[in-house]
């Protein structure tokens, strides 16, 4: 692990690595070029929107489905069926998810067929090829693929809360909303914080899903920090600048990982 990290750090301080047999030391020039790149602000903004919306939606959907599966109002058969259905997105690989949603969001796909049939839109929408909808589409796909992680974890947390607490709250006259706010959420708080921190790290580095659906396009509408770095290396052949970008991403990821590790240590 340390050898490739050290090599990339070394590349980021050199000029024309990989393509030049005798690269020259240029110090921080590559970092200056990356930070002054006109595409970088767009990539940062897209990554921030993609990450924040995904994490919030993962948490809300995961909590809603977990509470539904934890209720005693549903029969065991119904609960078991819903568990299978809701966990399915988590079982698919990124490649399958990307292909599946590209077919569904195709102008001639099922989603557009339904929208046109209901009269919501006169013609099929290019969801992944239109700058105004591409980021929304890939964010939705990521939400769909990631909420089961929260659902399963929060369901385990809900089942670990003693029922005696709720019975005592009912005796004291607490409403269902008061029980949720003052009992359920505080009990789930450690799980929610841990999962959210992990999700921020994972989502901010998402590459495969973006690359296999939009490739960062159209017109940088879905350009993320991960695709920005990849294109610097394998589209522009600026391996030194790509290394500098990778080091900057490593620094951000290290800070997030430190926050997560510190929180876990504080819990213990």
């Amino acid at each position: 692990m340390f050898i490739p990290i050290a090599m990339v750090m070394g590349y980021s301080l050199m000029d024309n690595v990989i393509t030049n047999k005798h690269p020259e030391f240029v110090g921080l020039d590559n970092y200056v070029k990356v930070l002054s790149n006109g595409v970088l602000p767009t990539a940062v903004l897209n990554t921030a929107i993609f990450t924040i919306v995904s994490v919030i939606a993962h948490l809300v959907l995961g909590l809603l489905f977990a509470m539904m599966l934890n209720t005693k109002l549903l029969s065991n058969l119904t609960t078991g069926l819903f568990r299978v259905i809701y966990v399915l997105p988590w079982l698919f690989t990124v490649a399958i998810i990307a292909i599946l949603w590209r077919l569904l969001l195709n102008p001639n796909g099922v989603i557009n067929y339904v929208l046109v049939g209901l009269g919501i839109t006169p013609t099929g929408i290019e969801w992944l090829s239109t700058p105004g909808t591409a980021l929304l589409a890939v964010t939705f796909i990521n939400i769909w693929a990631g909420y089961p992680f929260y659902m399963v974890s929060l369901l385990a947390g809900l089942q670990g809360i003693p029922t005696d607490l709720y019975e005592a709250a009912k005796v004291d006259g607490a409403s269902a909303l008061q029980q949720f706010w003052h009992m359920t959420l505080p009990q789930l708080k450690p799980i929610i914080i841990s999962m959210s921190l992990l999700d921020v790290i994972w989502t901010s580095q998402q590459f495969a899903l973006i690359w296999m659906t939009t490739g960062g396009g159209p017109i940088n509408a879905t350009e993320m920090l991960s695709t920005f770095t990849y294109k610097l290396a394998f589209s522009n052949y600026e391996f030194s600048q790509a290394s500098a970008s990778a080091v900057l991403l490593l620094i951000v990821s290290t800070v997030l990982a430190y926050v997560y590790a510190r929180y876990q240590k504080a819990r213990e």
Side-chain angles (χ1 to χ4, degrees):
M1 183 177 67
F2 289 107
I3 291 175
I5 291 175
M7 291 176 65
V8 170
M9 288 181 174
Y11 289 161
S12 69
L13 302 175
M14 308 295 289
D15 185 29
N16 295 327
V17 293
I18 307 297
T19 58
N20 188 347
K21 189 175 182 179
H22 303 289
E24 299 178 358
F25 179 80
V26 294
L28 299 178
D29 283 1
N30 291 313
Y31 292 91
V32 174
K33 291 178 181 178
V34 169
L35 294 175
S36 59
N37 192 309
V39 181
L40 182 63
T42 302
V44 172
L45 179 61
N46 288 341
T47 303
I49 295 174
F50 179 75
T51 301
I52 293 172
V53 174
S54 293
V55 171
I56 293 175
H58 284 160
L59 175 59
V60 173
L61 288 177
L63 183 57
L64 286 175
F65 289 141
M67 293 184 66
M68 189 192 76
L69 294 176
N70 192 54
T71 183
K72 296 180 180 179
L73 300 177
L74 300 177
S75 66
N76 291 333
L77 178 62
T78 305
T79 302
L81 179 61
F82 280 146
R83 284 184 180 181
V84 173
I85 293 174
Y86 289 145
V87 84
L88 275 178
W90 205 20
L91 303 179
F92 296 144
T93 63
V94 176
I96 294 175
I97 292 171
I99 294 172
L100 173 67
W101 280 99
R102 284 179 63 181
L103 292 173
L104 290 173
L105 295 173
N106 188 280
N108 298 319
V110 175
I111 292 179
N112 278 314
Y113 177 80
V114 173
L115 293 177
V116 173
L118 295 175
I120 298 176
T121 177
T123 58
I125 301 173
E126 294 272 2
W127 293 100
L128 295 172
S129 302
T130 304
T133 60
L135 183 59
L136 173 65
V138 295
T139 303
F140 177 84
I141 296 171
N142 188 66
I143 292 170
W144 179 85
Y147 79 83
F149 169 68
Y150 279 79
M151 184 191 73
V152 172
S153 302
L154 291 172
L155 179 58
L158 287 171
Q159 293 177 344
I161 300 176
T163 57
D164 296 345
L165 294 177
Y166 293 103
E167 293 174 358
K170 289 180 181 179
V171 171
D172 292 337
S175 65
L177 181 59
Q178 290 174 326
Q179 293 178 39
F180 172 76
W181 188 258
H182 296 288
M183 295 174 56
T184 304
L185 280 184
Q187 292 289 328
L188 295 178
K189 182 180 176 181
I191 300 175
I192 290 174
I193 294 177
S194 296
M195 289 191 305
S196 298
L197 289 173
L198 281 175
D199 198 19
V200 168
I201 296 172
W202 293 339
T203 307
S204 62
Q205 298 180 23
Q206 178 64 264
F207 170 79
L209 179 63
I210 304 299
W211 190 254
M212 297 183 70
T213 51
T214 63
I219 319 174
N220 300 326
T222 59
E223 192 76 272
M224 304 291 168
L225 290 173
S226 55
T227 56
F228 170 74
T229 303
Y230 180 88
K231 288 179 179 179
L232 280 176
F234 300 106
S235 294
N236 302 336
Y237 301 106
E238 296 286 352
F239 292 100
S240 295
Q241 291 184 38
S243 299
S245 179
V247 171
L248 293 175
L249 282 174
L250 175 64
I251 293 173
V252 174
S253 300
T254 302
V255 171
L256 293 173
Y258 173 77
V259 172
Y260 172 76
R262 182 165 186 145
Y263 172 74
Q264 292 294 97
K265 185 177 181 180
R267 281 186 58 192
E268 296 173 359

